[in-house]
Amino acid sequence: MGVEEEYLLLDPVTGLPVARAAEVRRAADLQDALAAGEVQRELLQAQLEIATPVCRTLDEVGGHLLRMRHSLDIAARETGCRLAACGAAPFNWRRPVPVTPTARYRAMHSRAPRLTDEQLIAGMHIHVGVPGRQAGVVVLNRLRPWLPLLVALAANSPMWQGQDSGFASWRTLVFGRWPASGAPPSFADAADYRHRVDELVAGGLIPDTGQVYWHIRLSERYPTVEVRAADVQLRADEAVMLAGAVRALATRALADEREHRPAPDVRPEVLSAALWHAARYGTANTVFDPRAGRLVPAAEAVDTLLTIIEDASAADRRHTAPLLERLLREGNGATRQRRALRLGGRARLLRMITDWTGGA
């Protein structure tokens, strides 16, 4: 498995996005703890992305995330900005942040200028290895019903342009405006997946397969299923927790398929509405439970997930079950951001989303 995390670059005083991605990448190249290619550019010049190496254990995932977060934070501070682990830029920006100067990103801006300007968001992508694309489609189909719970647990973007958006994950709403986004359909098999993705490109509806922005998709580069539903997390251990939950769900999906156990049957319109509800409320209200087929208290939905995690390895349970329980006690990132703003204003919120290098 592997994890990709996106971050925002913010001014240390105002909290506004700053277009210093190129400078931070150059400073990162001088960090001995960062390998070549681990820090990657993103759509806007106030964003950066990191990608872990291929990992076998959640301990490896956590170690790499801490290493890269810490080293990239040092590079950001050396260039006069801060690395922010939040799903959306929380404070007003006076003018659009420039697009990273590549042909691909310029074409995206030309096609959808306002939408591109507003992509000041940061997500987390979880890759889980699968033994072939047919197995990948099995995992995709069986994980689809769990996407609302994953969005709710990972919600970490309540603020937008200086105001509370009213949503726990405003990033989910912003990112959902692209043509091929949100929950994917179910697929008959790997050939059906390939045909329907190719049809989007061949019909000119999206320029290439890289702009299949579904919450879960088959990777075009790696033998993995890629879950893209999560906001980037405030804490590295929360990112590991989500990665562990996704791997447990994927493992259970393949086992259930072998044993011919039925998957939860969630209709597309129900799934779409459940995702909206998850983005709106996070874990502060009810959450959709795919096995019950209805909204239930967040603690009840997490209990359902914990029954699946019980089948995971002891090491994976150590990284997931206690942290899911902590999340229910302390709140997800969105809840904690709002608490920081209420108790200490913008300054305390800015400290929270940029002072996370102490680790898990």
Side-chain angles (χ1 to χ4, degrees), residues 4-354:
E4 299 166 338
E5 287 191 324
E6 299 164 346
Y7 309 116
L8 296 165
L9 300 174
L10 304 181
D11 182 277
V13 177
T14 66
L16 297 178
V18 291
R20 294 183 187 166
E23 296 95 315
V24 174
R25 287 186 75 203
R26 284 194 292 269
D29 288 341
L30 302 177
Q31 293 286 323
D32 292 337
L34 289 171
E38 286 189 328
V39 181
Q40 302 161 8
R41 58 194 172 191
E42 255 296 335
L43 174 60
L44 299 177
Q45 293 183 39
Q47 298 167 308
L48 285 171
E49 182 180 56
I50 58 92
T52 71
V54 176
C55 300
R56 297 285 182 180
T57 68
L58 294 180
D59 281 323
E60 288 182 79
V61 173
H64 285 301
L65 289 179
L66 287 173
R67 169 181 61 82
M68 289 187 279
R69 282 181 173 221
H70 179 71
S71 299
L72 194 54
D73 179 67
I74 292 173
R77 290 172 184 269
E78 288 176 350
T79 60
C81 60
R82 296 291 185 271
L83 201 68
C86 58
F91 304 123
N92 282 321
W93 55 92
R94 300 182 182 88
R95 59 182 67 87
V97 173
V99 171
T100 300
T102 69
R104 174 182 175 79
Y105 291 149
R106 285 172 175 149
M108 289 179 67
H109 190 267
S110 177
R111 185 181 185 212
R114 179 65 180 268
L115 179 52
T116 302
D117 289 343
E118 293 185 356
Q119 289 298 293
L120 282 165
I121 54 176
M124 169 190 173
H125 306 157
I126 302 164
H127 288 261
V128 177
V130 288
R133 292 181 74 81
Q134 183 57 40
V137 168
V138 168
V139 171
L140 185 154
N141 285 342
R142 287 180 175 268
L143 254 68
R144 285 175 66 254
W146 296 94
L147 289 171
L149 179 56
L150 293 174
V151 167
L153 293 172
N156 185 35
S157 52
M159 301 296 296
W160 186 247
Q161 294 192 348
Q163 296 182 331
D164 191 321
S165 68
F167 283 74
S169 177
W170 185 246
R171 169 189 163 272
T172 297
L173 274 293
V174 172
F175 203 62
R177 296 182 295 180
W178 290 101
S181 59
S186 293
F187 299 96
D189 50 31
D192 183 41
Y193 181 94
R194 181 78 275 157
H195 171 74
R196 291 163 78 170
V197 169
D198 289 346
E199 195 171 41
L200 288 169
V201 178
L205 297 171
I206 59 174
D208 54 58
T209 57
Q211 290 192 33
V212 174
Y213 292 145
W214 290 324
H215 285 317
I216 181 171
R217 68 184 186 183
L218 302 188
S219 173
E220 296 292 329
R221 299 175 58 193
Y222 308 110
T224 64
V225 172
E226 182 183 5
V227 177
R228 304 164 55 85
D231 292 353
V232 71
Q233 297 297 285
L234 288 171
R235 298 166 173 159
D237 65 346
E238 292 172 320
V240 176
M241 172 197 73
L242 291 169
V246 167
R247 182 158 74 171
L249 287 168
T251 301
R252 181 62 175 269
L254 292 172
D256 285 350
E257 184 75 7
R258 288 192 300 269
E259 298 297 324
H260 305 290
R261 288 190 286 262
D265 182 18
V266 180
R267 294 188 301 274
E269 66 275 17
V270 173
L271 185 57
S272 178
L275 282 165
W276 190 96
H277 184 91
R280 170 66 177 87
Y281 295 105
T283 54
N285 195 278
T286 51
V287 179
F288 183 74
D289 183 331
R291 290 186 170 179
R294 57 183 172 81
L295 296 174
V296 300
E300 185 176 327
V302 169
D303 282 343
T304 301
L305 178 59
L306 286 171
T307 63
I308 293 174
I309 291 172
E310 286 177 0
D311 295 335
S313 70
D316 281 10
R317 289 198 303 272
R318 173 170 56 85
H319 282 290
T320 49
L323 294 178
L324 282 169
E325 292 165 357
R326 187 185 74 184
L327 184 148
L328 289 176
R329 293 193 308 271
E330 299 181 2
N332 59 12
T335 296
R336 301 201 307 275
Q337 281 197 51
R338 286 175 169 139
R339 186 184 302 141
L341 185 67
R342 184 177 69 253
L343 294 176
R346 291 168 60 112
R348 182 160 176 171
L349 175 59
L350 182 58
R351 285 196 303 273
M352 167 178 277
I353 63 179
T354 59

